[in-house]
Amino acid sequence: GGTMSQNVLFYRLFLLRRLLVVAMILPLLVWLVICALKGPAAWALLPLAVLPTTLHVVRYPSVWFETMAVSVTTVVVLGLAGTISGDVGPVGLVFRTLGLAVVAFLVFMVAVSVLPGWLSGGPESVRSYRVRRWSRLDAATLKDRITLYPGRNDERAECGPAREDGIFEVTLKNRLAYDDYWPDLPTVDDPEDEDEDGAAFEKVTPDADGTIPFDITLYGIVLESTPERHDVVFVEDGVAQTSTTRHRFRKGRRGTRVELLERGTPMSRGNQLGFWLQDYAADGLFDDVCRAEGRARIAIRADAHRQLVMDIARWFVPRVNRVSGAG
């Protein structure tokens, strides 16, 4: 909540620069066509071509396919707005604007339900990512705070002890905006509220900041750990493939250069595109370094995951079962 700081704003615009460019190509092309047909009058439509995607990227930075849905919506609305002639009276303009708003809503709702399926498809393959970051901490401290190893326990990760075979349990702590659990989960008090396995749902109460914990459990084994590098292989529950991460630390004059090499589990081509557009790996390493240095965590990963479509849904759904103090 609260207002967005300048740092967060600039960070998101910089990190998501690829997504911004890709999402703006079509709206700007449509705008250029309108320019060619209408002349200088088309300049009034430039904000409409540029603002929706920019605002979406800044407010909802972790849902790239939704940003693409906003882009598609912008294209349709721009095309229609371009057909409004200059001699429409004020009343006509108001009606046309309302009409465009309705069209925008409908197009967005269709796009946001169709695009994720289209965009996240494609053959699966394994990709490696390499990102670098500078930290003012010395290598030993940085390594201690950002790598995963048995016994680490802080607000980002909780690692169990190593078993005889060297495997240790890793719990990565994330946060979700409570609204992603809309509509509210059933309460335990009602015996009818059981899933197929007969387990009762638990009532989720968000924390003060309106988010709920969302933990991911993995199993890791440290392959090699020296002052200069730290290699871990991860296995997820129910996932056949392993993923590996290697951190390299190089001492500088006033701090440490850290490089992260990640080889993930197979991902579809579409999801790899999203990973790249959102510069996901760089964001994760930046978050680790910020946390290690005790700085404010402004990375997208540290922010609760939000979606515009959920915010829209909240307007339409009766707000009876929402958390109202009583819980």
Side-chain angles (χ1 to χ4, degrees), residues 131-135 142-143 146-147 246-251 255-261 285 289:
V131 285
R132 295 184 184 88
R133 193 89 222 163
W134 175 258
S135 169
L142 186 64
K143 182 186 167 196
I146 72 173
T147 60
R246 165 176 295 172
H247 284 84
R248 280 207 184 110
F249 301 92
R250 216 173 63 233
K251 259 215 316 250
T256 307
R257 189 153 190 77
V258 54
E259 179 184 74
L260 169 65
L261 283 144
L285 184 59
V289 171

mmCIF file with all atom_site columns, all heavy atoms in Angstrom, residues 131-135 142-143 146-147 246-251 255-261 285 289:
data_model
loop_
_atom_site.group_PDB
_atom_site.id
_atom_site.type_symbol
_atom_site.label_atom_id
_atom_site.label_alt_id
_atom_site.label_comp_id
_atom_site.label_asym_id
_atom_site.label_entity_id
_atom_site.label_seq_id
_atom_site.pdbx_PDB_ins_code
_atom_site.Cartn_x
_atom_site.Cartn_y
_atom_site.Cartn_z
_atom_site.occupancy
_atom_site.B_iso_or_equiv
_atom_site.pdbx_formal_charge
_atom_site.auth_seq_id
_atom_site.auth_comp_id
_atom_site.auth_asym_id
_atom_site.auth_atom_id
_atom_site.pdbx_PDB_model_num
ATOM 1   N N   . VAL A 1 131 ? 23.461 -13.470 -14.396 1.00 0.00 ? 131 VAL A N   1
ATOM 2   C CA  . VAL A 1 131 ? 23.288 -12.066 -14.011 1.00 0.00 ? 131 VAL A CA  1
ATOM 3   C C   . VAL A 1 131 ? 24.380 -11.669 -13.025 1.00 0.00 ? 131 VAL A C   1
ATOM 4   O O   . VAL A 1 131 ? 24.897 -12.511 -12.287 1.00 0.00 ? 131 VAL A O   1
ATOM 5   C CB  . VAL A 1 131 ? 21.887 -11.792 -13.391 1.00 0.00 ? 131 VAL A CB  1
ATOM 6   C CG1 . VAL A 1 131 ? 20.819 -11.771 -14.455 1.00 0.00 ? 131 VAL A CG1 1
ATOM 7   C CG2 . VAL A 1 131 ? 21.532 -12.800 -12.310 1.00 0.00 ? 131 VAL A CG2 1
ATOM 8   N N   . ARG A 1 132 ? 24.723 -10.390 -13.040 1.00 0.00 ? 132 ARG A N   1
ATOM 9   C CA  . ARG A 1 132 ? 25.786 -9.902  -12.151 1.00 0.00 ? 132 ARG A CA  1
ATOM 10  C C   . ARG A 1 132 ? 25.289 -8.726  -11.328 1.00 0.00 ? 132 ARG A C   1
ATOM 11  O O   . ARG A 1 132 ? 24.389 -8.012  -11.738 1.00 0.00 ? 132 ARG A O   1
ATOM 12  C CB  . ARG A 1 132 ? 26.984 -9.443  -12.979 1.00 0.00 ? 132 ARG A CB  1
ATOM 13  C CG  . ARG A 1 132 ? 27.666 -10.536 -13.739 1.00 0.00 ? 132 ARG A CG  1
ATOM 14  C CD  . ARG A 1 132 ? 28.897 -10.003 -14.457 1.00 0.00 ? 132 ARG A CD  1
ATOM 15  N NE  . ARG A 1 132 ? 29.521 -11.038 -15.284 1.00 0.00 ? 132 ARG A NE  1
ATOM 16  C CZ  . ARG A 1 132 ? 29.165 -11.264 -16.537 1.00 0.00 ? 132 ARG A CZ  1
ATOM 17  N NH1 . ARG A 1 132 ? 28.204 -10.538 -17.098 1.00 0.00 ? 132 ARG A NH1 1
ATOM 18  N NH2 . ARG A 1 132 ? 29.754 -12.212 -17.225 1.00 0.00 ? 132 ARG A NH2 1
ATOM 19  N N   . ARG A 1 133 ? 25.955 -8.534  -10.204 1.00 0.00 ? 133 ARG A N   1
ATOM 20  C CA  . ARG A 1 133 ? 25.550 -7.444  -9.321  1.00 0.00 ? 133 ARG A CA  1
ATOM 21  C C   . ARG A 1 133 ? 26.765 -7.031  -8.490  1.00 0.00 ? 133 ARG A C   1
ATOM 22  O O   . ARG A 1 133 ? 27.607 -7.865  -8.177  1.00 0.00 ? 133 ARG A O   1
ATOM 23  C CB  . ARG A 1 133 ? 24.448 -7.979  -8.398  1.00 0.00 ? 133 ARG A CB  1
ATOM 24  C CG  . ARG A 1 133 ? 23.696 -6.952  -7.628  1.00 0.00 ? 133 ARG A CG  1
ATOM 25  C CD  . ARG A 1 133 ? 22.505 -6.432  -8.375  1.00 0.00 ? 133 ARG A CD  1
ATOM 26  N NE  . ARG A 1 133 ? 22.452 -5.004  -8.184  1.00 0.00 ? 133 ARG A NE  1
ATOM 27  C CZ  . ARG A 1 133 ? 21.755 -4.192  -8.939  1.00 0.00 ? 133 ARG A CZ  1
ATOM 28  N NH1 . ARG A 1 133 ? 21.067 -4.646  -9.941  1.00 0.00 ? 133 ARG A NH1 1
ATOM 29  N NH2 . ARG A 1 133 ? 21.753 -2.910  -8.703  1.00 0.00 ? 133 ARG A NH2 1
ATOM 30  N N   . TRP A 1 134 ? 26.812 -5.802  -8.112  1.00 0.00 ? 134 TRP A N   1
ATOM 31  C CA  . TRP A 1 134 ? 27.875 -5.307  -7.245  1.00 0.00 ? 134 TRP A CA  1
ATOM 32  C C   . TRP A 1 134 ? 27.310 -5.137  -5.848  1.00 0.00 ? 134 TRP A C   1
ATOM 33  O O   . TRP A 1 134 ? 26.190 -4.689  -5.672  1.00 0.00 ? 134 TRP A O   1
ATOM 34  C CB  . TRP A 1 134 ? 28.389 -3.970  -7.786  1.00 0.00 ? 134 TRP A CB  1
ATOM 35  C CG  . TRP A 1 134 ? 29.385 -3.330  -6.889  1.00 0.00 ? 134 TRP A CG  1
ATOM 36  C CD1 . TRP A 1 134 ? 29.174 -2.302  -6.032  1.00 0.00 ? 134 TRP A CD1 1
ATOM 37  C CD2 . TRP A 1 134 ? 30.760 -3.690  -6.743  1.00 0.00 ? 134 TRP A CD2 1
ATOM 38  N NE1 . TRP A 1 134 ? 30.323 -2.002  -5.355  1.00 0.00 ? 134 TRP A NE1 1
ATOM 39  C CE2 . TRP A 1 134 ? 31.317 -2.839  -5.775  1.00 0.00 ? 134 TRP A CE2 1
ATOM 40  C CE3 . TRP A 1 134 ? 31.575 -4.666  -7.337  1.00 0.00 ? 134 TRP A CE3 1
ATOM 41  C CZ2 . TRP A 1 134 ? 32.650 -2.924  -5.386  1.00 0.00 ? 134 TRP A CZ2 1
ATOM 42  C CZ3 . TRP A 1 134 ? 32.900 -4.747  -6.951  1.00 0.00 ? 134 TRP A CZ3 1
ATOM 43  C CH2 . TRP A 1 134 ? 33.425 -3.874  -5.990  1.00 0.00 ? 134 TRP A CH2 1
ATOM 44  N N   . SER A 1 135 ? 28.081 -5.501  -4.829  1.00 0.00 ? 135 SER A N   1
ATOM 45  C CA  . SER A 1 135 ? 27.632 -5.285  -3.447  1.00 0.00 ? 135 SER A CA  1
ATOM 46  C C   . SER A 1 135 ? 28.760 -4.655  -2.645  1.00 0.00 ? 135 SER A C   1
ATOM 47  O O   . SER A 1 135 ? 29.934 -4.944  -2.879  1.00 0.00 ? 135 SER A O   1
ATOM 48  C CB  . SER A 1 135 ? 27.242 -6.606  -2.793  1.00 0.00 ? 135 SER A CB  1
ATOM 49  O OG  . SER A 1 135 ? 27.051 -6.416  -1.400  1.00 0.00 ? 135 SER A OG  1
ATOM 50  N N   . LEU A 1 142 ? 28.517 -11.570 2.183   1.00 0.00 ? 142 LEU A N   1
ATOM 51  C CA  . LEU A 1 142 ? 27.527 -11.640 1.103   1.00 0.00 ? 142 LEU A CA  1
ATOM 52  C C   . LEU A 1 142 ? 27.143 -13.094 0.835   1.00 0.00 ? 142 LEU A C   1
ATOM 53  O O   . LEU A 1 142 ? 25.961 -13.433 0.740   1.00 0.00 ? 142 LEU A O   1
ATOM 54  C CB  . LEU A 1 142 ? 28.079 -10.984 -0.165  1.00 0.00 ? 142 LEU A CB  1
ATOM 55  C CG  . LEU A 1 142 ? 27.101 -10.858 -1.330  1.00 0.00 ? 142 LEU A CG  1
ATOM 56  C CD1 . LEU A 1 142 ? 25.933 -9.940  -0.954  1.00 0.00 ? 142 LEU A CD1 1
ATOM 57  C CD2 . LEU A 1 142 ? 27.789 -10.335 -2.582  1.00 0.00 ? 142 LEU A CD2 1
ATOM 58  N N   . LYS A 1 143 ? 28.155 -13.947 0.743   1.00 0.00 ? 143 LYS A N   1
ATOM 59  C CA  . LYS A 1 143 ? 27.910 -15.366 0.475   1.00 0.00 ? 143 LYS A CA  1
ATOM 60  C C   . LYS A 1 143 ? 27.033 -15.975 1.565   1.00 0.00 ? 143 LYS A C   1
ATOM 61  O O   . LYS A 1 143 ? 26.100 -16.729 1.292   1.00 0.00 ? 143 LYS A O   1
ATOM 62  C CB  . LYS A 1 143 ? 29.249 -16.105 0.393   1.00 0.00 ? 143 LYS A CB  1
ATOM 63  C CG  . LYS A 1 143 ? 29.105 -17.572 0.063   1.00 0.00 ? 143 LYS A CG  1
ATOM 64  C CD  . LYS A 1 143 ? 30.422 -18.303 0.127   1.00 0.00 ? 143 LYS A CD  1
ATOM 65  C CE  . LYS A 1 143 ? 30.144 -19.790 0.109   1.00 0.00 ? 143 LYS A CE  1
ATOM 66  N NZ  . LYS A 1 143 ? 31.256 -20.596 0.515   1.00 0.00 ? 143 LYS A NZ  1
ATOM 67  N N   . ILE A 1 146 ? 23.302 -14.662 1.029   1.00 0.00 ? 146 ILE A N   1
ATOM 68  C CA  . ILE A 1 146 ? 22.475 -14.866 -0.165  1.00 0.00 ? 146 ILE A CA  1
ATOM 69  C C   . ILE A 1 146 ? 22.495 -16.279 -0.738  1.00 0.00 ? 146 ILE A C   1
ATOM 70  O O   . ILE A 1 146 ? 21.660 -16.600 -1.572  1.00 0.00 ? 146 ILE A O   1
ATOM 71  C CB  . ILE A 1 146 ? 22.817 -13.859 -1.294  1.00 0.00 ? 146 ILE A CB  1
ATOM 72  C CG1 . ILE A 1 146 ? 24.153 -14.164 -1.944  1.00 0.00 ? 146 ILE A CG1 1
ATOM 73  C CG2 . ILE A 1 146 ? 22.738 -12.418 -0.809  1.00 0.00 ? 146 ILE A CG2 1
ATOM 74  C CD1 . ILE A 1 146 ? 24.426 -13.298 -3.167  1.00 0.00 ? 146 ILE A CD1 1
ATOM 75  N N   . THR A 1 147 ? 23.420 -17.132 -0.301  1.00 0.00 ? 147 THR A N   1
ATOM 76  C CA  . THR A 1 147 ? 23.410 -18.496 -0.849  1.00 0.00 ? 147 THR A CA  1
ATOM 77  C C   . THR A 1 147 ? 22.589 -19.404 0.060   1.00 0.00 ? 147 THR A C   1
ATOM 78  O O   . THR A 1 147 ? 22.311 -19.068 1.210   1.00 0.00 ? 147 THR A O   1
ATOM 79  C CB  . THR A 1 147 ? 24.842 -19.058 -0.970  1.00 0.00 ? 147 THR A CB  1
ATOM 80  O OG1 . THR A 1 147 ? 25.438 -19.091 0.318   1.00 0.00 ? 147 THR A OG1 1
ATOM 81  C CG2 . THR A 1 147 ? 25.690 -18.223 -1.921  1.00 0.00 ? 147 THR A CG2 1
ATOM 82  N N   . ARG A 1 246 ? 24.714 -21.408 -9.387  1.00 0.00 ? 246 ARG A N   1
ATOM 83  C CA  . ARG A 1 246 ? 26.108 -21.193 -9.007  1.00 0.00 ? 246 ARG A CA  1
ATOM 84  C C   . ARG A 1 246 ? 26.294 -19.710 -8.717  1.00 0.00 ? 246 ARG A C   1
ATOM 85  O O   . ARG A 1 246 ? 25.986 -18.872 -9.545  1.00 0.00 ? 246 ARG A O   1
ATOM 86  C CB  . ARG A 1 246 ? 27.044 -21.627 -10.137 1.00 0.00 ? 246 ARG A CB  1
ATOM 87  C CG  . ARG A 1 246 ? 28.478 -21.102 -9.967  1.00 0.00 ? 246 ARG A CG  1
ATOM 88  C CD  . ARG A 1 246 ? 29.392 -21.617 -11.038 1.00 0.00 ? 246 ARG A CD  1
ATOM 89  N NE  . ARG A 1 246 ? 29.523 -23.076 -10.919 1.00 0.00 ? 246 ARG A NE  1
ATOM 90  C CZ  . ARG A 1 246 ? 30.150 -23.823 -11.819 1.00 0.00 ? 246 ARG A CZ  1
ATOM 91  N NH1 . ARG A 1 246 ? 30.671 -23.271 -12.896 1.00 0.00 ? 246 ARG A NH1 1
ATOM 92  N NH2 . ARG A 1 246 ? 30.244 -25.129 -11.649 1.00 0.00 ? 246 ARG A NH2 1
ATOM 93  N N   . HIS A 1 247 ? 26.781 -19.416 -7.518  1.00 0.00 ? 247 HIS A N   1
ATOM 94  C CA  . HIS A 1 247 ? 27.161 -18.039 -7.185  1.00 0.00 ? 247 HIS A CA  1
ATOM 95  C C   . HIS A 1 247 ? 28.675 -17.940 -7.262  1.00 0.00 ? 247 HIS A C   1
ATOM 96  O O   . HIS A 1 247 ? 29.363 -18.805 -6.710  1.00 0.00 ? 247 HIS A O   1
ATOM 97  C CB  . HIS A 1 247 ? 26.726 -17.671 -5.768  1.00 0.00 ? 247 HIS A CB  1
ATOM 98  C CG  . HIS A 1 247 ? 25.258 -17.392 -5.631  1.00 0.00 ? 247 HIS A CG  1
ATOM 99  N ND1 . HIS A 1 247 ? 24.333 -18.389 -5.443  1.00 0.00 ? 247 HIS A ND1 1
ATOM 100 C CD2 . HIS A 1 247 ? 24.564 -16.219 -5.661  1.00 0.00 ? 247 HIS A CD2 1
ATOM 101 C CE1 . HIS A 1 247 ? 23.125 -17.846 -5.348  1.00 0.00 ? 247 HIS A CE1 1
ATOM 102 N NE2 . HIS A 1 247 ? 23.230 -16.536 -5.478  1.00 0.00 ? 247 HIS A NE2 1
ATOM 103 N N   . ARG A 1 248 ? 29.180 -16.912 -7.922  1.00 0.00 ? 248 ARG A N   1
ATOM 104 C CA  . ARG A 1 248 ? 30.626 -16.652 -7.943  1.00 0.00 ? 248 ARG A CA  1
ATOM 105 C C   . ARG A 1 248 ? 30.876 -15.319 -7.268  1.00 0.00 ? 248 ARG A C   1
ATOM 106 O O   . ARG A 1 248 ? 30.177 -14.338 -7.538  1.00 0.00 ? 248 ARG A O   1
ATOM 107 C CB  . ARG A 1 248 ? 31.115 -16.564 -9.390  1.00 0.00 ? 248 ARG A CB  1
ATOM 108 C CG  . ARG A 1 248 ? 31.319 -17.893 -10.051 1.00 0.00 ? 248 ARG A CG  1
ATOM 109 C CD  . ARG A 1 248 ? 32.373 -17.747 -11.150 1.00 0.00 ? 248 ARG A CD  1
ATOM 110 N NE  . ARG A 1 248 ? 32.546 -18.994 -11.878 1.00 0.00 ? 248 ARG A NE  1
ATOM 111 C CZ  . ARG A 1 248 ? 32.149 -19.164 -13.145 1.00 0.00 ? 248 ARG A CZ  1
ATOM 112 N NH1 . ARG A 1 248 ? 31.565 -18.170 -13.794 1.00 0.00 ? 248 ARG A NH1 1
ATOM 113 N NH2 . ARG A 1 248 ? 32.343 -20.314 -13.747 1.00 0.00 ? 248 ARG A NH2 1
ATOM 114 N N   . PHE A 1 249 ? 31.873 -15.262 -6.422  1.00 0.00 ? 249 PHE A N   1
ATOM 115 C CA  . PHE A 1 249 ? 32.186 -14.024 -5.700  1.00 0.00 ? 249 PHE A CA  1
ATOM 116 C C   . PHE A 1 249 ? 33.595 -13.570 -6.052  1.00 0.00 ? 249 PHE A C   1
ATOM 117 O O   . PHE A 1 249 ? 34.540 -14.345 -5.968  1.00 0.00 ? 249 PHE A O   1
ATOM 118 C CB  . PHE A 1 249 ? 32.069 -14.259 -4.191  1.00 0.00 ? 249 PHE A CB  1
ATOM 119 C CG  . PHE A 1 249 ? 30.701 -14.710 -3.782  1.00 0.00 ? 249 PHE A CG  1
ATOM 120 C CD1 . PHE A 1 249 ? 30.393 -16.063 -3.698  1.00 0.00 ? 249 PHE A CD1 1
ATOM 121 C CD2 . PHE A 1 249 ? 29.699 -13.787 -3.523  1.00 0.00 ? 249 PHE A CD2 1
ATOM 122 C CE1 . PHE A 1 249 ? 29.122 -16.491 -3.346  1.00 0.00 ? 249 PHE A CE1 1
ATOM 123 C CE2 . PHE A 1 249 ? 28.418 -14.202 -3.165  1.00 0.00 ? 249 PHE A CE2 1
ATOM 124 C CZ  . PHE A 1 249 ? 28.124 -15.555 -3.085  1.00 0.00 ? 249 PHE A CZ  1
ATOM 125 N N   . ARG A 1 250 ? 33.711 -12.309 -6.458  1.00 0.00 ? 250 ARG A N   1
ATOM 126 C CA  . ARG A 1 250 ? 35.034 -11.777 -6.778  1.00 0.00 ? 250 ARG A CA  1
ATOM 127 C C   . ARG A 1 250 ? 35.273 -10.521 -5.957  1.00 0.00 ? 250 ARG A C   1
ATOM 128 O O   . ARG A 1 250 ? 34.480 -9.576  -6.007  1.00 0.00 ? 250 ARG A O   1
ATOM 129 C CB  . ARG A 1 250 ? 35.123 -11.467 -8.277  1.00 0.00 ? 250 ARG A CB  1
ATOM 130 C CG  . ARG A 1 250 ? 36.516 -11.775 -8.799  1.00 0.00 ? 250 ARG A CG  1
ATOM 131 C CD  . ARG A 1 250 ? 36.659 -11.666 -10.301 1.00 0.00 ? 250 ARG A CD  1
ATOM 132 N NE  . ARG A 1 250 ? 36.420 -10.328 -10.805 1.00 0.00 ? 250 ARG A NE  1
ATOM 133 C CZ  . ARG A 1 250 ? 35.548 -10.063 -11.780 1.00 0.00 ? 250 ARG A CZ  1
ATOM 134 N NH1 . ARG A 1 250 ? 34.825 -11.026 -12.312 1.00 0.00 ? 250 ARG A NH1 1
ATOM 135 N NH2 . ARG A 1 250 ? 35.401 -8.830  -12.207 1.00 0.00 ? 250 ARG A NH2 1
ATOM 136 N N   . LYS A 1 251 ? 36.368 -10.541 -5.190  1.00 0.00 ? 251 LYS A N   1
ATOM 137 C CA  . LYS A 1 251 ? 36.682 -9.401  -4.321  1.00 0.00 ? 251 LYS A CA  1
ATOM 138 C C   . LYS A 1 251 ? 37.041 -8.185  -5.158  1.00 0.00 ? 251 LYS A C   1
ATOM 139 O O   . LYS A 1 251 ? 37.812 -8.272  -6.107  1.00 0.00 ? 251 LYS A O   1
ATOM 140 C CB  . LYS A 1 251 ? 37.856 -9.751  -3.418  1.00 0.00 ? 251 LYS A CB  1
ATOM 141 C CG  . LYS A 1 251 ? 37.378 -10.114 -2.034  1.00 0.00 ? 251 LYS A CG  1
ATOM 142 C CD  . LYS A 1 251 ? 38.255 -9.704  -0.881  1.00 0.00 ? 251 LYS A CD  1
ATOM 143 C CE  . LYS A 1 251 ? 39.745 -9.921  -1.008  1.00 0.00 ? 251 LYS A CE  1
ATOM 144 N NZ  . LYS A 1 251 ? 40.198 -10.998 -0.104  1.00 0.00 ? 251 LYS A NZ  1
ATOM 145 N N   . GLY A 1 255 ? 34.253 -3.842  -1.983  1.00 0.00 ? 255 GLY A N   1
ATOM 146 C CA  . GLY A 1 255 ? 33.060 -4.672  -2.000  1.00 0.00 ? 255 GLY A CA  1
ATOM 147 C C   . GLY A 1 255 ? 33.278 -5.931  -2.809  1.00 0.00 ? 255 GLY A C   1
ATOM 148 O O   . GLY A 1 255 ? 34.397 -6.406  -2.973  1.00 0.00 ? 255 GLY A O   1
ATOM 149 N N   . THR A 1 256 ? 32.176 -6.488  -3.326  1.00 0.00 ? 256 THR A N   1
ATOM 150 C CA  . THR A 1 256 ? 32.230 -7.775  -4.005  1.00 0.00 ? 256 THR A CA  1
ATOM 151 C C   . THR A 1 256 ? 31.385 -7.756  -5.270  1.00 0.00 ? 256 THR A C   1
ATOM 152 O O   . THR A 1 256 ? 30.297 -7.190  -5.281  1.00 0.00 ? 256 THR A O   1
ATOM 153 C CB  . THR A 1 256 ? 31.665 -8.874  -3.069  1.00 0.00 ? 256 THR A CB  1
ATOM 154 O OG1 . THR A 1 256 ? 32.355 -8.808  -1.830  1.00 0.00 ? 256 THR A OG1 1
ATOM 155 C CG2 . THR A 1 256 ? 31.831 -10.259 -3.671  1.00 0.00 ? 256 THR A CG2 1
ATOM 156 N N   . ARG A 1 257 ? 31.912 -8.405  -6.307  1.00 0.00 ? 257 ARG A N   1
ATOM 157 C CA  . ARG A 1 257 ? 31.120 -8.597  -7.515  1.00 0.00 ? 257 ARG A CA  1
ATOM 158 C C   . ARG A 1 257 ? 30.554 -10.006 -7.450  1.00 0.00 ? 257 ARG A C   1
ATOM 159 O O   . ARG A 1 257 ? 31.307 -10.971 -7.333  1.00 0.00 ? 257 ARG A O   1
ATOM 160 C CB  . ARG A 1 257 ? 32.013 -8.439  -8.738  1.00 0.00 ? 257 ARG A CB  1
ATOM 161 C CG  . ARG A 1 257 ? 31.242 -8.398  -10.023 1.00 0.00 ? 257 ARG A CG  1
ATOM 162 C CD  . ARG A 1 257 ? 31.993 -7.604  -11.089 1.00 0.00 ? 257 ARG A CD  1
ATOM 163 N NE  . ARG A 1 257 ? 31.144 -7.376  -12.243 1.00 0.00 ? 257 ARG A NE  1
ATOM 164 C CZ  . ARG A 1 257 ? 30.177 -6.469  -12.295 1.00 0.00 ? 257 ARG A CZ  1
ATOM 165 N NH1 . ARG A 1 257 ? 29.951 -5.705  -11.256 1.00 0.00 ? 257 ARG A NH1 1
ATOM 166 N NH2 . ARG A 1 257 ? 29.439 -6.331  -13.380 1.00 0.00 ? 257 ARG A NH2 1
ATOM 167 N N   . VAL A 1 258 ? 29.234 -10.121 -7.503  1.00 0.00 ? 258 VAL A N   1
ATOM 168 C CA  . VAL A 1 258 ? 28.627 -11.454 -7.446  1.00 0.00 ? 258 VAL A CA  1
ATOM 169 C C   . VAL A 1 258 ? 27.996 -11.763 -8.797  1.00 0.00 ? 258 VAL A C   1
ATOM 170 O O   . VAL A 1 258 ? 27.380 -10.919 -9.422  1.00 0.00 ? 258 VAL A O   1
ATOM 171 C CB  . VAL A 1 258 ? 27.584 -11.564 -6.300  1.00 0.00 ? 258 VAL A CB  1
ATOM 172 C CG1 . VAL A 1 258 ? 26.525 -10.482 -6.388  1.00 0.00 ? 258 VAL A CG1 1
ATOM 173 C CG2 . VAL A 1 258 ? 26.901 -12.937 -6.320  1.00 0.00 ? 258 VAL A CG2 1
ATOM 174 N N   . GLU A 1 259 ? 28.205 -12.995 -9.225  1.00 0.00 ? 259 GLU A N   1
ATOM 175 C CA  . GLU A 1 259 ? 27.610 -13.444 -10.484 1.00 0.00 ? 259 GLU A CA  1
ATOM 176 C C   . GLU A 1 259 ? 26.761 -14.666 -10.167 1.00 0.00 ? 259 GLU A C   1
ATOM 177 O O   . GLU A 1 259 ? 27.196 -15.557 -9.433  1.00 0.00 ? 259 GLU A O   1
ATOM 178 C CB  . GLU A 1 259 ? 28.716 -13.820 -11.463 1.00 0.00 ? 259 GLU A CB  1
ATOM 179 C CG  . GLU A 1 259 ? 28.193 -14.326 -12.795 1.00 0.00 ? 259 GLU A CG  1
ATOM 180 C CD  . GLU A 1 259 ? 29.324 -14.778 -13.710 1.00 0.00 ? 259 GLU A CD  1
ATOM 181 O OE1 . GLU A 1 259 ? 29.909 -15.847 -13.462 1.00 0.00 ? 259 GLU A OE1 1
ATOM 182 O OE2 . GLU A 1 259 ? 29.617 -14.044 -14.657 1.00 0.00 ? 259 GLU A OE2 1
ATOM 183 N N   . LEU A 1 260 ? 25.561 -14.685 -10.699 1.00 0.00 ? 260 LEU A N   1
ATOM 184 C CA  . LEU A 1 260 ? 24.666 -15.824 -10.483 1.00 0.00 ? 260 LEU A CA  1
ATOM 185 C C   . LEU A 1 260 ? 24.430 -16.522 -11.818 1.00 0.00 ? 260 LEU A C   1
ATOM 186 O O   . LEU A 1 260 ? 24.031 -15.891 -12.792 1.00 0.00 ? 260 LEU A O   1
ATOM 187 C CB  . LEU A 1 260 ? 23.334 -15.342 -9.896  1.00 0.00 ? 260 LEU A CB  1
ATOM 188 C CG  . LEU A 1 260 ? 22.187 -16.355 -9.853  1.00 0.00 ? 260 LEU A CG  1
ATOM 189 C CD1 . LEU A 1 260 ? 22.505 -17.503 -8.921  1.00 0.00 ? 260 LEU A CD1 1
ATOM 190 C CD2 . LEU A 1 260 ? 20.891 -15.685 -9.422  1.00 0.00 ? 260 LEU A CD2 1
ATOM 191 N N   . LEU A 1 261 ? 24.708 -17.821 -11.846 1.00 0.00 ? 261 LEU A N   1
ATOM 192 C CA  . LEU A 1 261 ? 24.426 -18.640 -13.032 1.00 0.00 ? 261 LEU A CA  1
ATOM 193 C C   . LEU A 1 261 ? 23.326 -19.615 -12.638 1.00 0.00 ? 261 LEU A C   1
ATOM 194 O O   . LEU A 1 261 ? 23.486 -20.363 -11.662 1.00 0.00 ? 261 LEU A O   1
ATOM 195 C CB  . LEU A 1 261 ? 25.667 -19.422 -13.436 1.00 0.00 ? 261 LEU A CB  1
ATOM 196 C CG  . LEU A 1 261 ? 26.746 -18.653 -14.163 1.00 0.00 ? 261 LEU A CG  1
ATOM 197 C CD1 . LEU A 1 261 ? 28.106 -19.160 -13.740 1.00 0.00 ? 261 LEU A CD1 1
ATOM 198 C CD2 . LEU A 1 261 ? 26.579 -18.823 -15.660 1.00 0.00 ? 261 LEU A CD2 1
ATOM 199 N N   . LEU A 1 285 ? 18.349 -11.494 -7.944  1.00 0.00 ? 285 LEU A N   1
ATOM 200 C CA  . LEU A 1 285 ? 19.682 -11.243 -7.379  1.00 0.00 ? 285 LEU A CA  1
ATOM 201 C C   . LEU A 1 285 ? 19.731 -9.860  -6.720  1.00 0.00 ? 285 LEU A C   1
ATOM 202 O O   . LEU A 1 285 ? 20.315 -9.692  -5.642  1.00 0.00 ? 285 LEU A O   1
ATOM 203 C CB  . LEU A 1 285 ? 20.756 -11.346 -8.467  1.00 0.00 ? 285 LEU A CB  1
ATOM 204 C CG  . LEU A 1 285 ? 22.209 -11.202 -7.977  1.00 0.00 ? 285 LEU A CG  1
ATOM 205 C CD1 . LEU A 1 285 ? 22.557 -12.266 -6.944  1.00 0.00 ? 285 LEU A CD1 1
ATOM 206 C CD2 . LEU A 1 285 ? 23.188 -11.260 -9.145  1.00 0.00 ? 285 LEU A CD2 1
ATOM 207 N N   . VAL A 1 289 ? 20.709 -9.055  -2.782  1.00 0.00 ? 289 VAL A N   1
ATOM 208 C CA  . VAL A 1 289 ? 21.765 -8.123  -2.381  1.00 0.00 ? 289 VAL A CA  1
ATOM 209 C C   . VAL A 1 289 ? 21.198 -7.012  -1.486  1.00 0.00 ? 289 VAL A C   1
ATOM 210 O O   . VAL A 1 289 ? 21.792 -6.659  -0.465  1.00 0.00 ? 289 VAL A O   1
ATOM 211 C CB  . VAL A 1 289 ? 22.492 -7.532  -3.616  1.00 0.00 ? 289 VAL A CB  1
ATOM 212 C CG1 . VAL A 1 289 ? 23.428 -6.403  -3.216  1.00 0.00 ? 289 VAL A CG1 1
ATOM 213 C CG2 . VAL A 1 289 ? 23.271 -8.635  -4.341  1.00 0.00 ? 289 VAL A CG2 1
#
